[in-house]
């Protein structure tokens, strides 16, 4: 299957700082990338969908000014959590697909802890 | 909106047993995927199966799109099969995956 990487795998930051998470598709061109959030013992919730070269589409209830998404190339999308607070602590997972309802492949996730 | 229901929520097996996990969804299907989330959080793709039947080793899956359900079969279970199994579904015309709440599988030696 296709390989998707995420960096960093974990990060601890102070309240009020910003954190950037990278998602890369290593062996295919990802027309569409998705960002999910997963709280402990819960399922994955879609935060936003991004298409290369376009603005991201955010799900209801997700603040676009807090969670900045950039999909600058067919292999890279970034999620920046701005002015992070303890309630933003979560497991963030990206996925990538070649579009058209094709199979999504997931990164290994980034565990964010905000102190 | 789309609803995805998985059953059972928890399942405990002895090594070597077989099991069936079920996923019901509420709308027409564009994409149906099964995943295994390992203890480190990595989602491992098991099947991309909007319809029909597929097999991969001890695992197989069947989706009956007209009746809006999918089944994941695990045969001769091993302790390494433990973890949470998710199904996720995207309705026709959309790429957005909606995840079920998962089935937590524990396989005891």
């Amino acid at each position: 299957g296709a390989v998707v990487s995420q960096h960093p795998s974990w990060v601890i930051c102070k309240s009020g700082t910003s954190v950037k998470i990278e998602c890369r598709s290593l062996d295919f061109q990802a027309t569409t990338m998705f960002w999910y959030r997963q709280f402990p013992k819960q399922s994955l919730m879609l935060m936003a969908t991004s298409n290369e070269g376009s603005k991201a589409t955010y799900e209801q209830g997700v603040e676009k000014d807090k969670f900045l998404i950039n999909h600058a190339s067919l292999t890279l999308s970034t999620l920046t959590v701005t002015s992070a607070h303890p309630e933003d602590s979560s497991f963030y997972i990206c996925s990538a697909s070649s579009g058209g309802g094709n199979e999504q492949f997931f990164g290994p996730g980034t565990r964010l802890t905000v102190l | 909106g789309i609803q995805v229901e998985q059953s059972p929520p928890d399942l405990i097996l002895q090594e070597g047993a077989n099991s069936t996990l079920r996923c019901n969804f509420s709308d027409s299907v564009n994409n149906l995927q099964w995943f295994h989330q390992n203890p480190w959080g990595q989602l491992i793709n098991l099947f991309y199966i909007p319809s029909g039947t597929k097999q991969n080793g001890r695992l197989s899956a069947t989706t009956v799109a007209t009746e809006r359900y999918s089944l994941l079969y695990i045969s001769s279970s091993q302790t390494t099969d433990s973890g949470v199994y998710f199904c996720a579904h995207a309705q026709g015309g959309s790429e957005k995956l909606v995840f079920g709440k998962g089935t937590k599988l524990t396989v005891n030696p």
Side-chain angles (χ1 to χ4, degrees):
Chain A
V3 180
V4 177
S5 70
Q6 269 184 254
H7 178 81
S9 55
W10 59 270
V11 57
I12 301 173
C13 69
K14 292 183 179 180
S15 187
T17 60
S18 295
V19 174
K20 180 184 282 189
I21 302 169
E22 290 187 352
C23 176
R24 294 182 184 272
S25 58
L26 299 185
D27 54 2
F28 70 103
Q29 292 187 327
T31 306
T32 310
M33 287 185 167
F34 305 83
W35 288 94
Y36 297 81
R37 182 165 51 183
Q38 185 180 31
F39 291 107
K41 300 189 184 301
Q42 294 188 21
S43 188
L44 280 76
M45 295 296 294
L46 180 65
M47 299 175 65
T49 303
S50 74
N51 291 291
E52 184 262 341
S54 303
K55 288 185 178 179
T57 302
Y58 291 81
E59 295 300 299
Q60 192 171 7
V62 178
E63 300 175 56
K64 63 179 182 180
D65 294 330
K66 180 167 185 62
F67 299 100
L68 301 179
I69 292 172
N70 183 278
H71 191 164
S73 76
L74 285 172
T75 59
L76 173 64
S77 177
T78 60
L79 167 68
T80 302
V81 183
T82 62
S83 188
H85 291 284
E87 56 265 31
D88 298 323
S89 298
S90 188
F91 191 54
Y92 292 86
I93 310 174
C94 72
S95 73
S97 86
S98 53
N102 290 333
E103 187 172 3
Q104 289 185 29
F105 297 92
F106 284 74
T110 296
R111 196 163 301 281
L112 170 64
T113 302
V114 184
L115 302 177
Chain B
I2 302 170
Q3 293 184 358
V4 181
E5 295 181 355
Q6 289 187 244
S7 59
D10 294 278
L11 184 60
I12 300 175
L13 300 174
Q14 285 299 121
E15 201 167 24
N18 303 327
S19 63
T20 301
L21 282 58
R22 186 178 180 101
C23 174
N24 292 334
F25 45 91
S26 62
D27 212 327
S28 60
V29 61
N30 187 40
N31 176 358
L32 192 293
Q33 293 185 235
W34 283 97
F35 302 92
H36 175 210
Q37 188 169 37
N38 68 19
W40 297 272
Q42 170 79 64
L43 278 169
I44 299 165
N45 287 43
L46 298 178
F47 295 102
Y48 170 76
I49 188 165
S51 64
T53 297
K54 291 185 178 179
Q55 180 155 8
N56 185 2
R58 296 183 295 104
L59 303 181
S60 64
T62 295
T63 296
V64 183
T66 53
E67 297 187 24
R68 299 182 179 171
Y69 73 87
S70 184
L71 303 174
L72 177 68
Y73 306 94
I74 304 174
S75 64
S76 303
S77 58
Q78 300 175 359
T79 56
T80 51
D81 294 332
S82 296
V84 182
Y85 289 80
F86 288 104
C87 76
H89 160 252
Q91 70 179 105
S94 172
E95 291 188 273
K96 297 180 183 180
L97 283 180
V98 176
F99 280 74
K101 293 184 177 181
T103 292
K104 183 179 179 182
L105 174 65
T106 302
V107 181
N108 293 320

